[in-house]
Amino acid sequence: MKWAVSSMVGAPTLNGTAGSMIALLDAFLVNGFGTKAVDSAQVTSGVCRMAITGGSAAQDHCVIQLAGVTGSGVALNGLQRVKTAAASYVEFLCDLPDGPLSGAITFKIAPLGWEKVFSGTNLAVYRSADVTGTRMYLRVDDSGGTNARVVGYEHMRSLTDGDGPFPTAVQVAGGGYWPKASTATASARAWTVSGDSKTFTIHMHTAGAGGESGCVWGFGDFKADKSGDTYACMLQCASADVAASTSFQTSSVEYASPSSGVNTFLPRSFTGVGSAINGGHGCEAHVEVAGVAGTANNPKVPQYPNPADNSLCLTRKVIFERNVSKRGIQRGVRIPVHMCYMAFAWQDKLVDPETGDVLMAIKCGSPAGTSAQGVIFVAITGDWE
């Protein structure tokens, strides 16, 4: 899986202007960004160190795409996970014998490897390239300033012609809302994106570039309870313009409750019959008090760290057909069940003791919040299943 943040060198700018969301999605899903030339590269004891000048977009644990290696090191071209990134070098693990690498070597932040199947002026349609998933379509209308409008489709033939929309025009006219900026200006806003070949989440702080708050949304496959669920895809979005709101959103990923989250739109029921469903989301365990993750002083796990073992207790997001059935688990997301939001800053890293995955903290709570309000974690290494 892969991730990127707005603080990376050369990262695309998200703001309150038309097209900035598509520029971000193009970079993360399809093209990558931040191409950097390597001065020299040397393998020593299973570690390849690439010397650079002037820093790069790379950060510890991110995935880069290497190109231009020739000779005995040609197999290194492609995806590599960064071990250590510094101002003058970037390192990753490899299994080559000691020695220098040859070629005009470059690297960039690697994209997820999705497809951009249709495009127009401030319009785009994206699709996973992973044939093991549902491969449903995400249509993005980024012609507005403060919001992008989003709709999932079971199938599309062009920018304007598709079958099986979720949400439908009756559920949310014009498509769901992904808030970009609280005002229609060119000032940069903070963002965090993470995902794999089937699913991604996107965090945006509409009030500024500091990342102190914001909301998290998502698109793609979830881990289905039903074997062979060919409609196990979701679009998480707002149903109205909340770009300037400083209140928590029951539709965003960070809303922690047993089962009362809304606006997780699903293309069909688990039966495969009918049309789009306004599904729900909740938490798998420990949560009894609804609110922003990391803020509610939950009666089951009231303190952080957990007094018995000094741990951080996490739970997973559940996807529902409300009042009908649990459909599955949201991939890659971990929800804390403590009052712990002040203990973590945006982009803090920690290791999940159960899986060994590296997790990254995302501060959240409301689209345009101006202070720390909540926190969730996304896996940035390992398997998103």
Side-chain angles (χ1 to χ4, degrees), residues 38-384:
V38 174
D39 298 335
S40 63
Q42 173 78 29
V43 176
T44 305
S45 300
V47 176
C48 178
R49 173 174 286 198
M50 301 184 295
I52 57 174
T53 302
S56 74
Q59 295 187 15
D60 293 4
H61 308 297
C62 80
V63 177
I64 56 174
Q65 187 169 329
L66 205 63
V69 183
T70 59
S72 61
V74 68
L76 295 180
N77 288 320
L79 302 180
Q80 304 291 344
R81 187 170 296 278
V82 172
K83 176 180 178 285
T84 306
S88 60
Y89 65 87
V90 173
E91 293 179 335
F92 60 88
L93 301 177
C94 68
D95 58 2
L96 291 183
D98 289 2
L101 298 183
S102 59
I105 304 170
T106 63
F107 67 87
K108 64 180 178 180
I109 299 299
L112 283 191
W114 286 41
E115 301 171 340
K116 187 177 184 181
V117 290
F118 303 112
S119 62
T121 303
N122 299 323
L123 297 170
V125 176
Y126 303 94
R127 187 189 190 195
S128 165
D130 189 336
V131 296
T132 68
T134 66
R135 300 194 69 206
M136 295 200 178
Y137 297 74
L138 175 66
R139 183 183 190 272
V140 180
D141 181 346
D142 198 17
S143 56
T146 57
N147 291 277
R149 307 297 298 274
V150 289
V151 181
Y153 281 87
E154 294 179 19
H155 184 262
M156 295 197 77
R157 289 170 290 275
S158 71
L159 271 172
T160 57
D161 184 16
D163 302 321
F166 55 105
T168 66
V170 172
Q171 289 167 331
V172 186
Y177 292 77
W178 276 0
K180 301 185 297 181
S182 55
T183 57
T185 69
S187 299
R189 266 61 173 190
W191 54 261
T192 315
V193 284
S194 57
D196 67 2
S197 62
K198 299 178 183 178
T199 314
F200 71 92
T201 61
I202 179 165
H203 156 254
M204 293 168 284
H205 183 201
T206 66
E212 302 93 345
S213 190
C215 282
V216 183
W217 316 95
F219 175 77
D221 294 2
F222 55 88
K223 186 177 180 180
D225 288 351
K226 178 187 175 182
S227 177
D229 187 345
T230 56
Y231 299 98
C233 186
M234 63 177 190
L235 172 60
Q236 295 165 316
C237 55
S239 58
D241 179 1
V242 296
S245 174
T246 55
S247 300
F248 69 80
Q249 302 298 312
T250 58
S251 53
S252 56
V253 175
E254 71 274 6
Y255 182 70
S257 75
S259 61
S260 60
V262 298
N263 293 343
T264 292
F265 290 96
L266 313 174
R268 300 192 195 189
S269 169
F270 71 92
T271 64
V273 176
S275 58
I277 294 170
N278 187 342
H281 58 96
C283 292
E284 189 175 39
H286 302 302
V287 173
E288 291 183 348
V289 179
V292 178
T295 62
N297 193 358
N298 191 283
K300 284 190 176 180
V301 190
Q303 300 178 41
Y304 172 74
N306 186 42
D309 60 0
N310 204 43
S311 68
L312 172 66
C313 296
L314 301 168
T315 188
R316 298 183 298 173
K317 293 290 291 189
V318 176
I319 306 302
F320 293 97
E321 286 182 40
R322 288 186 291 166
N323 303 314
V324 175
S325 177
K326 173 175 169 283
R327 286 290 293 272
I329 299 294
Q330 182 160 357
R331 306 170 68 248
V333 175
R334 308 287 191 274
I335 302 295
V337 297
H338 308 272
M339 173 75 84
C340 65
Y341 72 98
M342 292 299 292
F344 299 96
W346 179 41
Q347 303 180 47
D348 276 356
K349 314 293 194 304
L350 65 144
V351 176
D352 186 331
E354 292 188 3
T355 65
D357 296 341
V358 177
L359 307 179
M360 181 168 63
I362 298 177
K363 300 306 289 282
C364 46
S366 68
T370 56
S371 61
Q373 296 169 295
V375 64
I376 68 168
F377 300 88
V378 293
I380 60 171
T381 68
D383 186 345
W384 255 32

